[in-house]
Amino acid sequence: MNTNSGKVTLLSAGPGELDLLTLRAAKALAAADVVLLDDLANPEIVSLAPQARVIRVGKRGGCRSTPQAFIERLMRRYAQKGLDVVRVKGGEALLFGRAGEELASLREAGIPVEIVNGISSGFAAAAGLGISLTHRRHCHGVTFVTAHKEDHGEPDWAALAATRTTLAIYMGMRRIESLAAALLASLPADTPAAVVQWAGSANERRLLTRLDRLAADATDEGFGSPAVILVGDAIGESVEAMWVQDAASHDESARARAA
Amino acid sequence: MNTNSGKVTLLSAGPGELDLLTLRAAKALAAADVVLLDDLANPEIVSLAPQARVIRVGKRGGCRSTPQAFIERLMRRYAQKGLDVVRVKGGEALLFGRAGEELASLREAGIPVEIVNGISSGFAAAAGLGISLTHRRHCHGVTFVTAHKEDHGEPDWAALAATRTTLAIYMGMRRIESLAAALLASLPADTPAAVVQWAGSANERRLLTRLDRLAADATDEGFGSPAVILVGDAIGESVEAMWVQDAASHDESARARAA
């Protein structure tokens, strides 16, 4: 282990709005020498890291074919120079998004790592809808799953439906039609379903519907990535328009106050 | 709807350490007139709400038989007086913990609600273990489930195991033996498993083991509630002792730096 090495902080940037960062995340950013910024994180986050050299990574990071290896090399290189490197990841770093590979790479190089948790977009989506993800009248849990095929194949939708947990589906918009069809084989047509695009950001958009109309409604209303798809009886507790959100960025806040 | 009513903020206190609160949570606490404090939240959180009248609620709240109805009545009463009420809930308010009932009660009374997300202990547990909950080599998701029988009966462990997602089991310590036995009927004996008690707090304790030894090891090592039980191949990525956590409160931090 390199005794005079720096360290890497895997930092969860949360769903978008900067005040959804933790106090610990803000402190880590303030002390950062280098910030590696994910495509999915709010770029305004760099305002919290005034001393840092900012490097934008991801698909637009200049190394199309091996972005992941490129990012890992950058993190190791800067930390081994003794710098305080903050790797900013959208949402919660430990949910999807390849933190596992990055941790293994840093571990192998003997570089100390700090992990700072954050808010995943599934929770922000539930807040926007004004619901608990696990209302005990309806279920005893929630499953976060990625529909992204490259991530370990297609999920077993029948097995997921059989758990009777609320499903929070990430990266599912490109195959919303096929996943909804697969779930319809196991769940009632009127199972409540929702799509929340840009959850927890100033651009948040919500669709509340039912499973058999999910794909058509999402298409009709022009919903796209990034979005979380929610399916399950707990979603049916949502009553839109009652909810106060951040006054600066959510129209419904003004409506609720005017009412 | 009451035009001059106050509002209620359902605020996620996170797993314990105060710097795991969001910036938005800190701001809401600073503006609070009344704070209703959960048993599971770190009591030091009241230092962030200097103007507020603090009321400790929960089992020790003085109304043993109907604590939930009592809490809901308090929230409504203070909000209807025009006050800014912050209901502090341990972990993430929208994961377990009866937010669903509280939201319904407030909705019925026409009281505006703001929801502030936070860090659930399952994510803090993963950070302590230094792992992604969804390493794509092992799984495509994670299921958060409560083992608490009063919450909608016993979960279907066979169905949960069949999803091949990482399982993050809350409120499971009292029946760790029976739930481990149930999971062993569906999962290999050497499936990696962990217990993290007081995850994300200064008293965090971790046990890393395998499914067939989970209950015995947890008992031998004196693990109890509150704790998160984690089961799944992704847990096997944990390599203890490499991890830097909050220097003030985690021994392993000092060890990592000294190494």
Side-chain angles (χ1 to χ4, degrees):
Chain A
M1 200 161 160
N2 190 340
T3 48
N4 63 356
S5 83
K7 68 166 182 170
V8 173
T9 301
L10 284 193
L11 187 141
S12 308
E17 305 233 44
L18 295 186
D19 66 351
L20 288 176
L21 285 163
T22 64
L23 301 169
R24 188 178 294 181
K27 199 176 159 195
L29 285 161
D33 296 314
V34 179
V35 166
L36 300 184
L37 191 62
D38 211 87
D39 269 356
L40 278 173
N42 180 347
E44 289 167 22
I45 199 171
V46 301
S47 66
L48 298 173
Q51 301 170 357
R53 176 174 173 190
V54 176
I55 303 168
R56 280 159 223 284
V57 293
K59 299 293 180 206
R60 290 183 290 242
C63 191
R64 253 165 217 284
S65 54
T66 57
Q68 191 56 35
F70 178 66
I71 293 165
E72 291 169 16
R73 209 159 55 234
L74 276 179
M75 287 195 293
R76 290 195 305 263
R77 186 191 303 160
Y78 285 114
Q80 280 161 345
K81 282 184 184 170
L83 298 174
D84 189 340
V85 181
V86 174
R87 163 74 168 122
V88 174
K89 297 176 84 70
E92 158 62 59
L94 304 183
L95 190 63
F96 311 127
R98 308 214 184 169
E101 284 94 326
E102 295 179 11
L103 287 164
S105 160
L106 294 164
R107 201 149 50 203
E108 215 169 283
I111 294 167
V113 181
E114 179 170 14
I115 299 169
V116 179
N117 293 123
I119 311 298
S120 187
S121 55
F123 292 102
L129 292 164
I131 54 163
S132 166
L133 285 169
T134 58
H135 194 303
R136 65 188 186 130
R137 193 191 303 158
H138 303 293
C139 63
H140 46 70
V142 57
T143 301
F144 293 83
V145 64
T146 172
H148 194 340
K149 275 192 175 178
E150 284 166 284
D151 280 341
H152 210 259
E154 181 95 7
D156 181 343
W157 297 110
L160 291 165
T163 64
R164 304 298 195 98
T165 59
T166 304
L167 301 180
I169 304 163
Y170 285 54
M171 289 161 277
M173 292 309 284
R174 279 192 216 160
R175 50 184 61 84
I176 191 167
E177 210 164 324
S178 68
L179 73 85
L183 287 171
L184 271 172
S186 307
L187 293 172
D190 63 355
T191 303
V195 179
V196 184
Q197 186 171 12
W198 295 110
S201 82
N203 306 317
E204 180 173 307
R205 291 182 68 207
R206 299 187 290 269
L207 168 71
L208 194 59
T209 180
R210 39 186 273 173
L211 185 55
D212 59 349
R213 295 202 292 257
L214 172 63
D217 284 356
T219 306
D220 289 351
E221 301 290 333
F223 277 76
S225 301
V228 179
I229 301 168
L230 295 161
V231 178
D233 288 333
I235 311 305
E237 294 282 327
S238 182
V239 179
E240 286 275 6
M242 273 290 302
W243 304 104
V244 180
Q245 291 287 324
D246 180 18
S249 55
H250 291 274
D251 291 332
E252 66 273 26
S253 173
R255 284 203 300 275
R257 278 163 204 220
Chain B
M1 199 160 159
N2 190 340
T3 48
N4 63 356
S5 84
K7 69 166 181 169
V8 172
T9 302
L10 283 193
L11 187 140
S12 309
E17 306 235 42
L18 294 186
D19 65 351
L20 287 177
L21 284 163
T22 64
L23 302 170
R24 187 178 294 182
K27 198 175 159 197
L29 285 162
D33 296 314
V34 179
V35 167
L36 299 184
L37 190 62
D38 212 89
D39 269 356
L40 277 174
N42 181 347
E44 289 167 22
I45 199 171
V46 301
S47 66
L48 298 172
Q51 300 170 357
R53 175 173 173 190
V54 177
I55 303 169
R56 280 161 223 283
V57 294
K59 299 292 181 207
R60 291 183 290 241
C63 190
R64 251 163 219 285
S65 54
T66 56
Q68 191 56 35
F70 178 66
I71 293 165
E72 290 168 17
R73 208 159 55 231
L74 276 179
M75 288 195 293
R76 290 195 305 264
R77 187 191 302 162
Y78 284 114
Q80 280 162 344
K81 281 184 185 170
L83 297 175
D84 189 338
V85 181
V86 174
R87 164 74 168 124
V88 174
K89 298 175 84 69
E92 159 62 58
L94 303 183
L95 191 63
F96 311 126
R98 309 215 182 166
E101 284 94 326
E102 295 180 10
L103 288 163
S105 160
L106 295 163
R107 201 149 52 204
E108 216 169 281
I111 295 168
V113 181
E114 179 170 12
I115 297 169
V116 179
N117 293 124
I119 311 298
S120 187
S121 56
F123 293 102
L129 292 164
I131 54 164
S132 166
L133 286 169
T134 58
H135 194 303
R136 66 189 187 129
R137 193 192 302 159
H138 304 293
C139 63
H140 44 70
V142 57
T143 301
F144 293 83
V145 65
T146 173
H148 195 342
K149 274 191 173 178
E150 283 166 286
D151 281 340
H152 209 259
E154 183 94 6
D156 181 343
W157 297 110
L160 291 165
T163 63
R164 304 297 196 100
T165 59
T166 304
L167 301 181
I169 303 163
Y170 286 51
M171 288 161 276
M173 292 308 284
R174 279 193 217 160
R175 50 184 59 85
I176 192 168
E177 211 165 322
S178 69
L179 73 85
L183 287 171
L184 271 171
S186 307
L187 293 172
D190 64 354
T191 303
V195 179
V196 184
Q197 186 171 12
W198 295 112
S201 83
N203 306 317
E204 180 173 307
R205 292 181 68 209
R206 298 187 291 268
L207 168 72
L208 195 59
T209 180
R210 39 185 272 173
L211 185 56
D212 59 350
R213 295 201 293 257
L214 172 62
D217 285 356
T219 306
D220 289 352
E221 301 290 333
F223 277 74
S225 301
V228 179
I229 301 167
L230 295 161
V231 177
D233 288 334
I235 310 305
E237 293 282 328
S238 182
V239 179
E240 285 276 7
M242 274 288 305
W243 303 104
V244 180
Q245 290 288 323
D246 180 19
S249 56
H250 292 274
D251 291 331
E252 66 273 26
S253 174
R255 284 202 301 275
R257 278 165 203 218

